Amino acid sequence: QVQLVESGGGSVQAGGSLTLSCAASGVTYSRACMAWFRQAPEKEREVVAHIHVRTSTTYYTDSVKGRFTLSQDNAKNTLYLQMNNLKPEDTALYYCARTQFRMDCVTTVGDYTYWGQGTQVTVSS
């Protein structure tokens, strides 16, 4: 059973930085995708970025390109999201997610099987 545990959320002022971590346990294969999604109040959950665990191919949604960076430590089965130059519109509950076996990554919520509990990011102006 795959379990994902996020950490690193918090409150910062605009222009600040945070690093989110997602520790995965129960992982038995690397041909899968891991992603960060976020959901702001009264909005749909949206993908922020994803990475293929085996190939390290990454994707970023346009609004975070140049500001957020994904990385992974495969030895620790941990995914990181470095968030710089944060903006008030980045305020949301951030979720880590993982797919089952996949050769390519997607942005669809329904394609991710395993989810963490979420970590809150609040950016004040």
Side-chain angles (χ1 to χ4, degrees):
Q1 179 76 10
V2 174
Q3 292 188 324
L4 305 176
V5 178
E6 302 108 331
S7 60
S11 298
V12 296
Q13 291 190 326
S17 298
L18 285 172
T19 300
L20 305 184
S21 300
C22 173
S25 60
V27 171
T28 59
Y29 52 86
S30 61
R31 285 190 173 89
C33 303
M34 291 194 69
W36 289 98
F37 287 79
R38 65 186 179 187
Q39 188 166 18
E42 300 182 358
K43 291 191 176 181
E44 291 188 354
R45 192 170 298 189
E46 62 173 0
V47 69
V48 175
H50 61 58
I51 186 168
H52 193 276
V53 177
R54 173 64 69 92
T55 67
S56 297
T57 302
T58 56
Y59 162 88
Y60 299 90
T61 195
D62 285 346
S63 62
V64 308
K65 284 180 182 176
R67 300 189 297 123
F68 291 11
T69 303
L70 271 177
S71 62
Q72 57 182 351
D73 183 335
N74 289 341
K76 297 181 179 180
N77 287 327
T78 302
L79 179 70
Y80 303 97
L81 182 67
Q82 174 67 44
M83 304 185 294
N84 297 326
N85 190 22
L86 282 160
K87 303 177 180 181
E89 52 265 41
D90 295 317
T91 295
L93 190 59
Y94 283 69
Y95 295 92
C96 176
R98 184 180 172 101
T99 64
Q100 292 183 335
F101 181 93
R102 284 195 71 95
M103 298 297 290
D104 60 325
C105 296
V106 292
T107 61
T108 310
V109 170
D111 283 300
Y112 288 80
T113 302
Y114 308 104
W115 291 84
Q117 79 285 357
T119 185
Q120 179 67 38
V121 172
T122 302
V123 184
S124 58
S125 58

